[in-house]
Amino acid sequence: MALLISCKPSSISNISFPFILEKNQTSCKSTKMGSFSSNNISCCVSTSSISTVVAQRKLPILLFDVMDTIVHDPFYHDVPNFLSRQILVIYECRILLRLRMPMKELLECKHPTAWIEFEKGLITEEELTRKFFKDGRSVDMEGLKNCMRRGYSYLEGVEGLLNSLKENGYEIHAFTNYPIWYQMIEDKLKLSNYLSWTFCSCMFGKRKPDPDFYSEVVKHLGVEASNCIFVDDRMRNVEAAIELGLKGLQFENADLLRKDLSLLGVDISTNESQELTECSS
């Protein structure tokens, strides 16, 4: 069973990841799932054994973008119609309420930096409400959030892929540009069943493709960059990862990603597929 440890030994800083530990009959009767600080890990793990544990850590570590890589992004697919109703000047309701303002025009109406600041955690939701439109008009924030919630869903085939990776013991982290609203995604889809929400821009004050964000992720994980595989639908973000030594894959769909991960040596076989193989042989 995987044991989740969060600790800060002198040689490794800010580590929070799953370890695969051997059963130790002399120190504890069985492994347990838990979250520990550096002051209370002596029950089954001591700081002197951290180096041994890291050596047993399963590699590569998988880093996933979230929006339009794991989860349908409602901002580009559902929100435009919602915002159009707030922006359009309605002279003929029967006509204009049926119109959808093009995304380019919607983006021109938005404040140029407010959303980025929100994603970085630099402004609150209340401040975003005041700054959302650059001309100062009000926005129905609760309506916008409800629109986003309705739009969140797993992309086809991705949840099954994540489950396969989890079953095979891989360490998976979200590495995403998103505000505190990631909690709404978690509430609806329970991504934490498969990964850790470790690297959200709102927690670090940085966004991809900022090289400092990637560097901080690798430092936090305490591994070589080459031991990380990063998956994102945006090629610009993938290229930034590759430039810093990570392996990068551009997401197009779940089937192609399975093949790409397999080519990099990631085991995506499942108990079901193994049983089918055994039956056919």
Side-chain angles (χ1 to χ4, degrees), residues 50-267:
I50 290 295
S51 59
T52 302
V53 173
V54 171
Q56 297 173 347
R57 191 176 179 188
K58 186 165 185 175
L59 299 175
I61 294 170
L62 303 173
L63 303 168
F64 275 82
D65 171 53
V66 174
M67 306 314 295
D68 276 344
T69 300
I70 294 176
V71 176
H72 167 87
D73 189 349
F75 187 82
Y76 293 99
H77 305 292
D78 306 312
V79 169
N81 187 52
F82 170 81
L83 291 180
S84 293
R85 298 185 177 216
Q86 294 208 338
I87 295 173
L88 291 173
V89 179
I90 303 174
Y91 294 104
E92 294 289 342
C93 297
R94 290 173 299 173
I95 298 174
L96 291 182
L97 280 177
R98 297 174 186 173
L99 296 178
R100 169 173 162 159
M101 184 177 287
M103 176 57 73
K104 182 180 178 181
E105 293 183 33
L106 280 172
L107 293 178
E108 289 175 353
C109 292
K110 286 173 67 273
H111 189 282
T113 64
W115 181 257
I116 293 175
E117 292 168 2
F118 189 43
E119 280 194 336
K120 287 184 175 182
L122 302 179
I123 63 173
T124 64
E125 183 179 306
E126 183 180 354
E127 291 172 310
L128 176 68
T129 303
R130 294 197 301 265
K131 296 177 63 175
F132 193 88
F133 290 119
K134 64 183 180 182
D135 63 2
R137 79 182 70 192
S138 62
V139 61
D140 177 5
M141 187 57 69
E142 286 306 311
L144 175 60
K145 289 169 66 177
N146 288 334
C147 179
M148 300 282 275
R149 286 190 191 95
R150 289 192 298 271
Y152 294 140
S153 62
Y154 279 103
L155 296 179
E156 183 178 358
V158 173
E159 187 175 13
L161 172 57
L162 291 174
N163 188 60
S164 298
L165 293 169
K166 177 187 175 182
E167 285 187 355
N168 282 286
Y170 286 101
E171 180 181 333
I172 313 173
H173 299 269
F175 180 19
T176 184
N177 293 343
Y178 217 64
I180 194 67
W181 289 355
Y182 78 86
Q183 294 173 345
M184 296 195 301
I185 303 175
E186 171 62 20
D187 289 343
K188 182 174 182 181
L189 302 180
K190 301 297 185 290
L191 264 66
S192 60
N193 287 335
Y194 311 107
L195 55 76
S196 171
W197 287 98
T198 316
F199 306 112
C200 291
S201 57
C202 61
M203 303 174 189
F204 287 79
K206 298 180 176 69
R207 296 175 76 254
K208 299 171 296 185
D210 182 350
D212 288 344
F213 197 6
Y214 295 82
S215 297
E216 194 158 348
V217 167
V218 173
K219 180 181 178 181
H220 181 98
L221 292 171
V223 298
E224 296 294 328
S226 58
N227 288 323
C228 301
I229 298 177
F230 172 60
V231 183
D232 197 303
D233 63 300
R234 297 194 177 192
M235 194 60 198
R236 183 184 177 194
N237 294 337
V238 174
E239 290 171 346
I242 293 172
E243 289 173 4
L244 287 168
L246 293 82
K247 295 180 176 67
L249 295 173
Q250 183 179 20
F251 177 83
E252 295 184 37
N253 60 60
D255 289 338
L256 286 176
L257 181 56
R258 280 181 177 271
K259 294 176 183 177
D260 290 341
L261 288 171
S262 295
L263 290 173
L264 290 177
V266 176
D267 183 8

